[in-house]
Structures are given as C-alpha cells and as structure tokens.
Amino acid sequence: MISFFIENIGTIAILLIVFVIVGAVVFKMIKDKKSGKSACGCNCSECKGGCNHSL
C-alpha cells in the first residue's frame, strides 16, 4: 500500500491541489450567492425584473 503512494505521489499531489482549487471556487460561489451577488456581474438584489435570468 505504501509503495502505491510512493509511486503515484505526483498524481496524488496534483489531485489534491485540484480539489483545493475547486473547493475554494465552490465556497466563493456559495458565499457570493448568500450575500446577494451574481455571477453575471449584476446586482440581483436590486434587479427590477428586467434581467433574463430564469432561476
């Protein structure tokens, strides 16, 4: 089992880095959504309904 980790340490390290980056992006998206920010750059909390968002 240890030899598997030693042989694949590069792949495991890259995978962990990717997971951390994806996790940070998801966390930021959730935080922005809760604070009323939008991914489109508009301020949806002040939107009067003229946007074409079908959420």
Short mmCIF file of all heavy atoms in Angstrom, two decimals:
data_model
loop_
_atom_site.label_atom_id
_atom_site.label_comp_id
_atom_site.label_asym_id
_atom_site.label_seq_id
_atom_site.Cartn_x
_atom_site.Cartn_y
_atom_site.Cartn_z
N MET A 1 0.82 -1.19 0.00
CA MET A 1 0.00 0.00 0.00
C MET A 1 0.87 1.27 0.00
O MET A 1 0.58 2.20 -0.71
CB MET A 1 -0.92 -0.03 1.22
CG MET A 1 -1.89 1.10 1.28
SD MET A 1 -3.17 0.85 0.05
CE MET A 1 -4.36 1.99 0.60
N ILE A 2 1.92 1.26 0.79
CA ILE A 2 2.83 2.41 0.84
C ILE A 2 3.52 2.60 -0.50
O ILE A 2 3.71 3.73 -0.94
CB ILE A 2 3.88 2.22 1.97
CG1 ILE A 2 3.20 2.07 3.31
CG2 ILE A 2 4.90 3.32 1.95
CD1 ILE A 2 2.98 3.33 4.07
N SER A 3 3.87 1.51 -1.15
CA SER A 3 4.56 1.62 -2.44
C SER A 3 3.64 2.27 -3.49
O SER A 3 4.13 3.00 -4.36
CB SER A 3 5.03 0.25 -2.93
OG SER A 3 3.93 -0.59 -3.17
N PHE A 4 2.34 2.04 -3.40
CA PHE A 4 1.39 2.68 -4.32
C PHE A 4 1.47 4.20 -4.17
O PHE A 4 1.51 4.93 -5.16
CB PHE A 4 -0.03 2.19 -4.05
CG PHE A 4 -1.08 2.95 -4.81
CD1 PHE A 4 -1.31 2.69 -6.14
CD2 PHE A 4 -1.82 3.95 -4.19
CE1 PHE A 4 -2.26 3.41 -6.85
CE2 PHE A 4 -2.77 4.66 -4.88
CZ PHE A 4 -3.00 4.39 -6.22
N PHE A 5 1.47 4.69 -2.92
CA PHE A 5 1.53 6.13 -2.68
C PHE A 5 2.87 6.72 -3.12
O PHE A 5 2.91 7.81 -3.68
CB PHE A 5 1.29 6.44 -1.20
CG PHE A 5 -0.15 6.24 -0.79
CD1 PHE A 5 -0.49 5.25 0.11
CD2 PHE A 5 -1.14 7.04 -1.31
CE1 PHE A 5 -1.80 5.06 0.48
CE2 PHE A 5 -2.46 6.86 -0.93
CZ PHE A 5 -2.80 5.87 -0.04
N ILE A 6 3.93 6.00 -2.89
CA ILE A 6 5.26 6.48 -3.29
C ILE A 6 5.37 6.56 -4.81
O ILE A 6 5.90 7.54 -5.35
CB ILE A 6 6.35 5.58 -2.69
CG1 ILE A 6 6.38 5.76 -1.16
CG2 ILE A 6 7.72 5.91 -3.30
CD1 ILE A 6 7.29 4.78 -0.45
N GLU A 7 4.83 5.56 -5.51
CA GLU A 7 4.92 5.54 -6.97
C GLU A 7 4.02 6.60 -7.61
O GLU A 7 4.30 7.05 -8.72
CB GLU A 7 4.51 4.16 -7.49
CG GLU A 7 5.51 3.07 -7.15
CD GLU A 7 4.99 1.68 -7.50
OE1 GLU A 7 3.87 1.57 -8.01
OE2 GLU A 7 5.74 0.71 -7.26
N ASN A 8 2.96 6.99 -6.93
CA ASN A 8 1.98 7.92 -7.52
C ASN A 8 1.90 9.24 -6.76
O ASN A 8 0.87 9.92 -6.82
CB ASN A 8 0.61 7.25 -7.54
CG ASN A 8 0.58 6.05 -8.43
OD1 ASN A 8 0.87 6.15 -9.61
ND2 ASN A 8 0.27 4.89 -7.88
N ILE A 9 2.96 9.64 -6.08
CA ILE A 9 2.94 10.85 -5.27
C ILE A 9 2.66 12.11 -6.10
O ILE A 9 1.95 13.00 -5.66
CB ILE A 9 4.23 10.99 -4.43
CG1 ILE A 9 4.07 12.08 -3.37
CG2 ILE A 9 5.42 11.29 -5.32
CD1 ILE A 9 3.16 11.71 -2.26
N GLY A 10 3.18 12.16 -7.31
CA GLY A 10 2.94 13.33 -8.17
C GLY A 10 1.48 13.45 -8.56
O GLY A 10 0.89 14.54 -8.49
N THR A 11 0.87 12.35 -8.94
CA THR A 11 -0.54 12.35 -9.32
C THR A 11 -1.41 12.69 -8.12
O THR A 11 -2.37 13.47 -8.24
CB THR A 11 -0.94 10.96 -9.87
OG1 THR A 11 -0.10 10.64 -10.97
CG2 THR A 11 -2.39 10.95 -10.29
N ILE A 12 -1.09 12.16 -6.97
CA ILE A 12 -1.87 12.42 -5.76
C ILE A 12 -1.75 13.90 -5.38
O ILE A 12 -2.74 14.53 -5.01
CB ILE A 12 -1.42 11.49 -4.62
CG1 ILE A 12 -1.77 10.05 -4.96
CG2 ILE A 12 -2.04 11.90 -3.31
CD1 ILE A 12 -1.15 9.01 -4.04
N ALA A 13 -0.57 14.47 -5.49
CA ALA A 13 -0.37 15.88 -5.15
C ALA A 13 -1.17 16.79 -6.08
O ALA A 13 -1.83 17.73 -5.63
CB ALA A 13 1.12 16.23 -5.21
N ILE A 14 -1.13 16.52 -7.38
CA ILE A 14 -1.89 17.31 -8.35
C ILE A 14 -3.38 17.18 -8.07
O ILE A 14 -4.12 18.18 -8.12
CB ILE A 14 -1.57 16.87 -9.79
CG1 ILE A 14 -0.10 17.15 -10.11
CG2 ILE A 14 -2.50 17.54 -10.79
CD1 ILE A 14 0.28 18.61 -10.12
N LEU A 15 -3.85 16.00 -7.77
CA LEU A 15 -5.27 15.76 -7.48
C LEU A 15 -5.69 16.56 -6.24
O LEU A 15 -6.76 17.19 -6.23
CB LEU A 15 -5.52 14.27 -7.27
CG LEU A 15 -6.96 13.85 -7.05
CD1 LEU A 15 -7.79 14.15 -8.28
CD2 LEU A 15 -7.01 12.36 -6.73
N LEU A 16 -4.88 16.58 -5.22
CA LEU A 16 -5.19 17.35 -4.02
C LEU A 16 -5.24 18.84 -4.30
O LEU A 16 -6.12 19.56 -3.81
CB LEU A 16 -4.19 17.04 -2.91
CG LEU A 16 -4.29 15.67 -2.27
CD1 LEU A 16 -3.14 15.46 -1.28
CD2 LEU A 16 -5.62 15.49 -1.57
N ILE A 17 -4.31 19.32 -5.12
CA ILE A 17 -4.30 20.74 -5.49
C ILE A 17 -5.56 21.10 -6.25
O ILE A 17 -6.19 22.14 -5.99
CB ILE A 17 -3.03 21.08 -6.29
CG1 ILE A 17 -1.80 21.00 -5.39
CG2 ILE A 17 -3.13 22.46 -6.94
CD1 ILE A 17 -0.48 21.06 -6.13
N VAL A 18 -5.97 20.25 -7.19
CA VAL A 18 -7.19 20.50 -7.96
C VAL A 18 -8.40 20.51 -7.04
O VAL A 18 -9.28 21.37 -7.16
CB VAL A 18 -7.34 19.46 -9.09
CG1 VAL A 18 -8.72 19.53 -9.72
CG2 VAL A 18 -6.27 19.66 -10.14
N PHE A 19 -8.50 19.58 -6.10
CA PHE A 19 -9.61 19.53 -5.16
C PHE A 19 -9.67 20.81 -4.31
O PHE A 19 -10.75 21.35 -4.06
CB PHE A 19 -9.53 18.31 -4.25
CG PHE A 19 -10.07 17.06 -4.87
CD1 PHE A 19 -9.55 15.83 -4.50
CD2 PHE A 19 -11.07 17.07 -5.81
CE1 PHE A 19 -10.02 14.65 -5.04
CE2 PHE A 19 -11.57 15.91 -6.38
CZ PHE A 19 -11.04 14.70 -5.99
N VAL A 20 -8.52 21.30 -3.88
CA VAL A 20 -8.49 22.52 -3.08
C VAL A 20 -8.97 23.72 -3.91
O VAL A 20 -9.76 24.54 -3.42
CB VAL A 20 -7.07 22.76 -2.51
CG1 VAL A 20 -6.94 24.16 -1.93
CG2 VAL A 20 -6.74 21.72 -1.46
N ILE A 21 -8.53 23.82 -5.14
CA ILE A 21 -8.94 24.92 -6.00
C ILE A 21 -10.44 24.87 -6.28
O ILE A 21 -11.14 25.88 -6.17
CB ILE A 21 -8.12 24.93 -7.31
CG1 ILE A 21 -6.67 25.30 -7.01
CG2 ILE A 21 -8.71 25.89 -8.33
CD1 ILE A 21 -5.72 25.12 -8.18
N VAL A 22 -10.95 23.70 -6.64
CA VAL A 22 -12.38 23.55 -6.91
C VAL A 22 -13.20 23.85 -5.65
O VAL A 22 -14.22 24.53 -5.71
CB VAL A 22 -12.70 22.14 -7.46
CG1 VAL A 22 -14.19 21.88 -7.51
CG2 VAL A 22 -12.09 21.96 -8.84
N GLY A 23 -12.73 23.38 -4.51
CA GLY A 23 -13.42 23.66 -3.25
C GLY A 23 -13.46 25.15 -2.95
O GLY A 23 -14.49 25.67 -2.49
N ALA A 24 -12.38 25.85 -3.20
CA ALA A 24 -12.33 27.29 -2.96
C ALA A 24 -13.29 28.03 -3.89
O ALA A 24 -13.97 28.97 -3.46
CB ALA A 24 -10.91 27.81 -3.14
N VAL A 25 -13.37 27.60 -5.13
CA VAL A 25 -14.28 28.24 -6.09
C VAL A 25 -15.73 28.01 -5.67
O VAL A 25 -16.54 28.94 -5.67
CB VAL A 25 -14.02 27.72 -7.52
CG1 VAL A 25 -15.12 28.15 -8.47
CG2 VAL A 25 -12.67 28.19 -8.02
N VAL A 26 -16.07 26.79 -5.29
CA VAL A 26 -17.43 26.48 -4.86
C VAL A 26 -17.77 27.27 -3.59
O VAL A 26 -18.86 27.85 -3.48
CB VAL A 26 -17.61 24.96 -4.64
CG1 VAL A 26 -18.93 24.66 -3.95
CG2 VAL A 26 -17.52 24.22 -5.96
N PHE A 27 -16.85 27.34 -2.64
CA PHE A 27 -17.06 28.10 -1.42
C PHE A 27 -17.32 29.58 -1.73
O PHE A 27 -18.24 30.19 -1.18
CB PHE A 27 -15.85 27.96 -0.49
CG PHE A 27 -15.97 28.76 0.77
CD1 PHE A 27 -16.78 28.32 1.80
CD2 PHE A 27 -15.26 29.94 0.92
CE1 PHE A 27 -16.89 29.06 2.97
CE2 PHE A 27 -15.36 30.68 2.08
CZ PHE A 27 -16.19 30.24 3.11
N LYS A 28 -16.53 30.15 -2.65
CA LYS A 28 -16.70 31.56 -3.04
C LYS A 28 -18.05 31.77 -3.72
O LYS A 28 -18.72 32.78 -3.46
CB LYS A 28 -15.56 31.97 -3.97
CG LYS A 28 -15.67 33.35 -4.54
CD LYS A 28 -15.15 34.38 -3.57
CE LYS A 28 -14.97 35.71 -4.26
NZ LYS A 28 -15.97 36.68 -3.93
N MET A 29 -18.46 30.84 -4.56
CA MET A 29 -19.76 30.97 -5.24
C MET A 29 -20.91 30.93 -4.24
O MET A 29 -21.86 31.71 -4.34
CB MET A 29 -19.92 29.87 -6.29
CG MET A 29 -19.03 30.04 -7.49
SD MET A 29 -19.06 28.64 -8.63
CE MET A 29 -20.74 28.69 -9.19
N ILE A 30 -20.82 30.03 -3.27
CA ILE A 30 -21.87 29.93 -2.25
C ILE A 30 -21.90 31.20 -1.40
O ILE A 30 -22.97 31.74 -1.11
CB ILE A 30 -21.66 28.67 -1.38
CG1 ILE A 30 -21.92 27.42 -2.21
CG2 ILE A 30 -22.54 28.70 -0.15
CD1 ILE A 30 -21.53 26.13 -1.51
N LYS A 31 -20.72 31.68 -1.03
CA LYS A 31 -20.63 32.91 -0.22
C LYS A 31 -21.21 34.10 -0.99
O LYS A 31 -21.96 34.90 -0.42
CB LYS A 31 -19.17 33.16 0.14
CG LYS A 31 -18.95 34.33 1.04
CD LYS A 31 -17.48 34.48 1.37
CE LYS A 31 -17.23 35.77 2.11
NZ LYS A 31 -15.81 36.04 2.27
N ASP A 32 -20.89 34.22 -2.28
CA ASP A 32 -21.42 35.31 -3.10
C ASP A 32 -22.93 35.19 -3.25
O ASP A 32 -23.64 36.19 -3.22
CB ASP A 32 -20.75 35.33 -4.47
CG ASP A 32 -19.33 35.85 -4.43
OD1 ASP A 32 -18.92 36.39 -3.38
OD2 ASP A 32 -18.62 35.69 -5.44
N LYS A 33 -23.43 33.99 -3.43
CA LYS A 33 -24.86 33.78 -3.59
C LYS A 33 -25.61 34.20 -2.33
O LYS A 33 -26.66 34.84 -2.40
CB LYS A 33 -25.13 32.31 -3.92
CG LYS A 33 -26.57 31.96 -4.09
CD LYS A 33 -27.07 32.43 -5.43
CE LYS A 33 -28.48 31.89 -5.65
NZ LYS A 33 -29.06 32.41 -6.85
N LYS A 34 -25.06 33.84 -1.16
CA LYS A 34 -25.71 34.21 0.10
C LYS A 34 -25.68 35.71 0.35
O LYS A 34 -26.57 36.24 1.00
CB LYS A 34 -25.04 33.48 1.27
CG LYS A 34 -25.40 32.02 1.32
CD LYS A 34 -24.77 31.35 2.54
CE LYS A 34 -25.16 29.89 2.60
NZ LYS A 34 -24.57 29.22 3.77
N SER A 35 -24.66 36.40 -0.16
CA SER A 35 -24.57 37.84 0.05
C SER A 35 -25.30 38.63 -1.03
O SER A 35 -25.27 39.85 -1.03
CB SER A 35 -23.10 38.27 0.11
OG SER A 35 -22.48 38.14 -1.14
N GLY A 36 -25.94 37.93 -1.98
CA GLY A 36 -26.75 38.60 -2.99
C GLY A 36 -26.00 38.99 -4.24
O GLY A 36 -26.54 39.68 -5.09
N LYS A 37 -24.77 38.57 -4.37
CA LYS A 37 -24.01 38.88 -5.58
C LYS A 37 -24.36 37.89 -6.67
O LYS A 37 -24.82 36.79 -6.42
CB LYS A 37 -22.51 38.83 -5.30
CG LYS A 37 -22.04 39.90 -4.35
CD LYS A 37 -20.56 39.80 -4.13
CE LYS A 37 -20.09 40.82 -3.12
NZ LYS A 37 -18.66 40.65 -2.83
N SER A 38 -24.12 38.28 -7.91
CA SER A 38 -24.45 37.44 -9.05
C SER A 38 -23.20 37.14 -9.86
O SER A 38 -22.27 37.94 -9.89
CB SER A 38 -25.48 38.14 -9.93
OG SER A 38 -25.68 37.42 -11.12
N ALA A 39 -23.21 36.01 -10.53
CA ALA A 39 -22.08 35.64 -11.38
C ALA A 39 -22.03 36.47 -12.65
O ALA A 39 -20.99 36.59 -13.28
CB ALA A 39 -22.16 34.16 -11.74
N CYS A 40 -23.15 37.09 -13.03
CA CYS A 40 -23.18 37.87 -14.27
C CYS A 40 -22.63 39.28 -14.08
O CYS A 40 -22.51 40.04 -15.03
CB CYS A 40 -24.60 37.93 -14.81
SG CYS A 40 -25.76 38.84 -13.79
N GLY A 41 -22.35 39.67 -12.84
CA GLY A 41 -21.83 41.00 -12.58
C GLY A 41 -22.89 41.99 -12.20
O GLY A 41 -22.60 43.11 -11.79
N CYS A 42 -24.15 41.61 -12.34
CA CYS A 42 -25.26 42.48 -11.95
C CYS A 42 -25.51 42.34 -10.46
O CYS A 42 -25.13 41.37 -9.84
CB CYS A 42 -26.52 42.10 -12.70
SG CYS A 42 -26.36 42.22 -14.49
N ASN A 43 -26.20 43.31 -9.91
CA ASN A 43 -26.60 43.23 -8.51
C ASN A 43 -28.04 42.76 -8.48
O ASN A 43 -28.97 43.55 -8.56
CB ASN A 43 -26.43 44.58 -7.83
CG ASN A 43 -26.63 44.50 -6.34
OD1 ASN A 43 -26.93 43.43 -5.80
ND2 ASN A 43 -26.46 45.62 -5.66
N CYS A 44 -28.25 41.47 -8.35
CA CYS A 44 -29.59 40.89 -8.45
C CYS A 44 -30.49 41.30 -7.30
O CYS A 44 -31.71 41.23 -7.42
CB CYS A 44 -29.51 39.36 -8.52
SG CYS A 44 -28.82 38.79 -10.09
N SER A 45 -29.92 41.73 -6.18
CA SER A 45 -30.75 42.18 -5.07
C SER A 45 -31.47 43.48 -5.41
O SER A 45 -32.49 43.80 -4.83
CB SER A 45 -29.92 42.35 -3.80
OG SER A 45 -28.96 43.36 -3.99
N GLU A 46 -30.94 44.24 -6.37
CA GLU A 46 -31.58 45.48 -6.80
C GLU A 46 -32.23 45.35 -8.17
O GLU A 46 -32.67 46.34 -8.75
CB GLU A 46 -30.53 46.60 -6.84
CG GLU A 46 -29.96 46.92 -5.47
CD GLU A 46 -28.90 48.01 -5.54
OE1 GLU A 46 -28.70 48.60 -6.62
OE2 GLU A 46 -28.26 48.25 -4.50
N CYS A 47 -32.33 44.15 -8.68
CA CYS A 47 -32.90 43.92 -10.01
C CYS A 47 -34.41 44.15 -9.97
O CYS A 47 -35.10 43.68 -9.07
CB CYS A 47 -32.60 42.49 -10.46
SG CYS A 47 -33.16 42.14 -12.13
N LYS A 48 -34.93 44.84 -10.95
CA LYS A 48 -36.36 45.13 -11.03
C LYS A 48 -37.10 44.11 -11.91
O LYS A 48 -38.24 44.31 -12.27
CB LYS A 48 -36.59 46.54 -11.60
CG LYS A 48 -35.87 47.62 -10.87
CD LYS A 48 -36.69 48.13 -9.70
CE LYS A 48 -36.10 49.38 -9.13
NZ LYS A 48 -35.31 49.20 -7.96
N GLY A 49 -36.44 43.03 -12.26
CA GLY A 49 -37.08 42.00 -13.07
C GLY A 49 -36.79 42.12 -14.56
O GLY A 49 -37.37 41.37 -15.35
N GLY A 50 -35.93 43.03 -14.94
CA GLY A 50 -35.62 43.21 -16.34
C GLY A 50 -34.54 42.26 -16.85
O GLY A 50 -34.24 42.22 -18.03
N CYS A 51 -33.95 41.49 -15.95
CA CYS A 51 -32.90 40.56 -16.34
C CYS A 51 -33.51 39.32 -16.98
O CYS A 51 -34.66 38.98 -16.74
CB CYS A 51 -32.08 40.15 -15.12
SG CYS A 51 -31.27 41.53 -14.30
N ASN A 52 -32.73 38.62 -17.75
CA ASN A 52 -33.20 37.39 -18.40
C ASN A 52 -32.70 36.17 -17.63
O ASN A 52 -32.19 35.24 -18.21
CB ASN A 52 -32.72 37.33 -19.84
CG ASN A 52 -33.42 38.32 -20.72
OD1 ASN A 52 -34.58 38.62 -20.49
ND2 ASN A 52 -32.74 38.83 -21.73
N HIS A 53 -32.83 36.18 -16.33
CA HIS A 53 -32.44 35.03 -15.51
C HIS A 53 -33.66 34.18 -15.27
O HIS A 53 -34.69 34.65 -14.79
CB HIS A 53 -31.85 35.48 -14.17
CG HIS A 53 -30.62 36.32 -14.32
ND1 HIS A 53 -29.43 35.81 -14.78
CD2 HIS A 53 -30.39 37.63 -14.09
CE1 HIS A 53 -28.52 36.77 -14.81
NE2 HIS A 53 -29.08 37.88 -14.41
N SER A 54 -33.57 32.92 -15.58
CA SER A 54 -34.71 32.03 -15.40
C SER A 54 -34.49 31.10 -14.22
O SER A 54 -34.73 29.91 -14.29
CB SER A 54 -34.95 31.22 -16.67
OG SER A 54 -33.79 30.45 -16.97
N LEU A 55 -33.95 31.61 -13.12
CA LEU A 55 -33.71 30.79 -11.94
C LEU A 55 -34.87 30.84 -11.05
O LEU A 55 -35.53 31.25 -10.47
CB LEU A 55 -32.44 31.24 -11.22
CG LEU A 55 -31.17 31.09 -12.04
CD1 LEU A 55 -29.99 31.65 -11.25
CD2 LEU A 55 -30.89 29.65 -12.37
#
